[in-house]
Amino acid sequence: MDSATIATMKALMEWEGQRKAPPPGFPKLPDVPAARYTSAEYYALEQEHIFRKTWLFAAHLDEVPEPGSFMRWNNAGDPIIIVHGTDGVVRAFYNTCRHRGAPVVTADKGCARRLVCPYHAWTYKTDGTLVGVPERQDFVDLDMATRGLIPVRCEMFGKLIFVNFDDGATSLRDFLGPIAEEWEEFGFDKLRLAARHSFDLACNWKVAMEANMEVYHVPFIHPETVAPLVDAKRNVNHLYPGGHGRMLAPPPREMQRESVRALENAPNWTAIETVGELGRTHTQSYTIFPNWVSPLSNYFVPPLIFWPTSLTSTRLELITMAPDWGDGEAPDLWTVPDETSPSGRAMARLIQEDTQFGEAIQRSMESRGFRSVPLSYQESRIYWFHQHCDRMIGVDRVPPDLRVEQAIGAEWVSPNDPRVALMEQNAADLAMTG
């Protein structure tokens, strides 16, 4: 990010902190229909048209580190295999044998030069090619060249592996849009996977995710964890094509001494040397449609991934990626040791604060008292997310009583930002009157 852009961002944060109303021209956000969180019909539309047609984070290269490595991945319904081919290419396939439909891979992880179905020993190369069929003479006109494992779109950003079930989808880089360039400073091609843990939540996936898409709640839910480090009043939201978003907020002008001391006593983390000024000194978090939320800093890239497991349940993945920590203990930003847990880990305090009300909110939403959701300007990233959900589904496919209005226009979507012109005009007016 160049110096002029950094200066503009800093000025925008000050402008946001001083405004008395939403920016002139920003649309009044209509209520979000309540049933988007409770309707089985809408949930089915999400599964078919969102999670089957967008790029989804699946794995880190450290999980399939060498040629022949493979892992199972089942977070989006259909069983998938992620395979690091012996030719060095990372691919994804449906974990379904082309003979009788048995899973080709039954172990969660492994390493092999061939993938052998345990049912009848049909054998595949790591590029998916079928190369072995026992008693082949008994199959009439079996064209092995057309019976390889069925591929799933698979592309990488740095060491991150994404999949997409839609063969006609745009490339991963085009999907990320301008965010791909903004992320270059964080060195995704050098980050190691430090921790990956999952926890089940008893609420709709959007209930869980939206708690991480605004800072309106920070003073109330995080008074001792986030609030001392983030000035929510000077937060700037940015909307990107494709339903993505970003928040950028400075630290409070006068940080509490306890918070400063905590930072000074932080572990000896390895820094990402290429991160620029805002990444080093401010809090920023990206929402990548549909289910990724991650703060980024000069020490970590720690995404939270929200996987719907039913209408009223979510699997939350807590991931920490960081530069090489050498012989030290691998950093884990989101979980802490817990001897009472089957996994040996528990959610850290900050995550517990964000998830503590999920089940109660879901129950409350299912009551007759929940009619609709009025969102503020501060919560515009949530409304933008809902707009894109309907666009992915196809607005005409969404029942009228479940739709959100397409209220936020392209003029508010990056690279456009009317706030910059408003801010500059305000400064010019003050200069003239001063």
Side-chain angles (χ1 to χ4, degrees):
M1 192 177 296
D2 59 46
S3 58
T5 302
I6 292 172
T8 299
M9 292 299 102
K10 288 182 176 180
L12 263 180
M13 285 182 266
E14 298 305 318
W15 183 83
E16 286 280 1
Q18 296 170 13
R19 63 177 176 79
K20 304 300 181 184
F26 189 81
K28 179 184 181 297
L29 300 179
D31 282 17
V32 175
R36 291 171 74 91
Y37 303 89
T38 60
S39 163
E41 181 178 12
Y42 193 77
Y43 178 80
L45 290 170
E46 292 173 339
Q47 293 300 296
E48 180 178 356
H49 297 286
I50 295 177
F51 284 89
R52 302 292 301 181
K53 296 179 181 179
T54 50
W55 286 100
L56 306 171
F57 172 74
H60 187 283
L61 187 60
D62 286 356
E63 296 176 280
V64 285
E66 58 186 296
S69 299
F70 63 84
M71 63 176 284
R72 293 195 299 175
W73 187 79
N74 302 313
N75 283 342
D78 288 347
I80 302 296
I81 323 168
I82 309 293
V83 184
H84 190 154
T86 55
D87 59 358
V89 178
V90 175
R91 300 178 177 87
F93 303 98
Y94 288 96
N95 188 14
T96 304
C97 182
R98 298 299 303 280
H99 175 217
R100 297 266 293 278
V104 176
V105 167
T106 57
D108 287 337
K109 292 185 178 183
C111 189
R113 296 190 61 82
R114 295 286 187 269
L115 303 175
V116 182
C117 176
Y119 197 4
H120 297 95
W122 279 37
T123 302
Y124 303 86
K125 293 171 62 177
T126 57
D127 66 359
T129 304
L130 177 63
V131 292
V133 174
E135 309 296 339
R136 181 180 172 185
Q137 71 277 4
D138 286 343
F139 288 88
V140 179
D141 296 331
L142 178 67
D143 183 0
M144 293 178 61
T146 65
R147 301 285 179 170
L149 295 175
I150 296 177
V152 176
R153 287 281 300 278
C154 180
E155 295 183 17
M156 298 181 66
F157 185 86
K159 292 185 177 181
L160 278 62
I161 302 166
F162 287 78
V163 298
N164 193 323
F165 294 98
D166 182 3
D167 290 337
T170 186
S171 71
L172 173 61
R173 193 148 190 117
D174 286 345
F175 167 76
L176 292 173
I179 291 174
E181 183 176 348
E182 293 178 14
W183 277 6
E184 291 296 336
E185 67 181 273
F186 294 95
F188 280 77
D189 58 333
K190 299 178 178 64
L191 297 176
R192 292 181 59 189
L193 179 65
R196 184 173 188 173
H197 303 285
S198 296
F199 298 87
D200 292 324
L201 308 175
C203 61
N204 183 272
W205 69 284
K206 298 185 296 298
V207 171
M209 183 169 163
E210 288 170 11
N212 297 272
M213 293 173 67
E214 42 85 4
V215 295
Y216 183 32
H217 72 286
V218 165
F220 317 108
I221 302 299
H222 306 297
E224 298 178 355
T225 51
V226 180
L229 304 175
V230 174
D231 188 340
K233 292 290 187 182
R234 291 189 287 158
N235 172 65
V236 176
N237 286 318
H238 286 98
L239 309 178
Y240 293 85
H244 312 314
R246 181 185 71 176
M247 61 79 65
L248 177 66
R253 287 190 172 88
E254 294 186 9
M255 293 177 65
Q256 297 178 15
R257 184 59 209 164
E258 291 78 7
S259 301
V260 175
R261 188 178 298 112
L263 292 175
E264 291 172 345
N265 295 330
N268 188 23
W269 295 325
T270 302
I272 306 171
E273 300 295 343
T274 51
V275 172
E277 179 184 350
L278 294 182
R280 295 193 308 270
T281 60
H282 291 57
T283 296
Q284 60 182 328
S285 179
Y286 283 84
T287 304
I288 303 301
F289 190 88
N291 65 335
W292 159 303
V293 178
S294 179
L296 296 98
S297 75
N298 56 321
Y299 293 110
F300 302 107
V301 173
L304 294 79
I305 317 290
F306 299 84
W307 298 106
T309 51
S310 76
L311 175 60
T312 59
S313 62
T314 300
R315 178 163 297 119
L316 170 59
E317 280 199 297
L318 301 174
I319 298 169
T320 302
M321 293 179 282
D324 196 326
W325 50 90
D327 296 331
E329 183 178 355
D332 186 340
L333 199 62
W334 299 132
T335 74
V336 294
D338 182 3
E339 295 180 357
T340 67
S341 169
S343 67
R345 307 295 296 184
M347 291 186 288
R349 179 181 177 185
L350 189 154
I351 300 297
Q352 289 183 15
E353 291 172 347
D354 272 329
T355 59
Q356 62 184 313
F357 299 124
E359 183 173 0
I361 289 173
Q362 187 66 39
R363 290 179 180 175
S364 182
M365 283 181 164
E366 292 167 358
S367 77
R368 296 180 183 180
F370 181 53
R371 307 292 176 83
S372 62
V373 179
L375 292 173
S376 70
Y377 165 70
Q378 293 186 49
E379 299 163 299
S380 59
R381 284 188 295 146
I382 295 176
Y383 196 91
W384 178 240
F385 162 79
H386 278 272
Q387 277 193 204
H388 197 68
C389 283
D390 283 6
R391 289 182 184 179
M392 285 298 301
I393 293 169
V395 174
D396 291 341
R397 291 192 183 98
V398 181
D401 61 325
L402 292 175
R403 293 176 194 164
V404 296
E405 295 182 30
Q406 298 293 310
I408 301 176
E411 68 274 15
W412 293 96
V413 180
S414 179
N416 303 317
D417 193 340
R419 293 172 300 184
V420 175
L422 291 167
M423 176 183 67
E424 292 173 347
Q425 185 60 53
N426 288 349
D429 292 344
L430 286 173
M432 290 181 64
T433 58

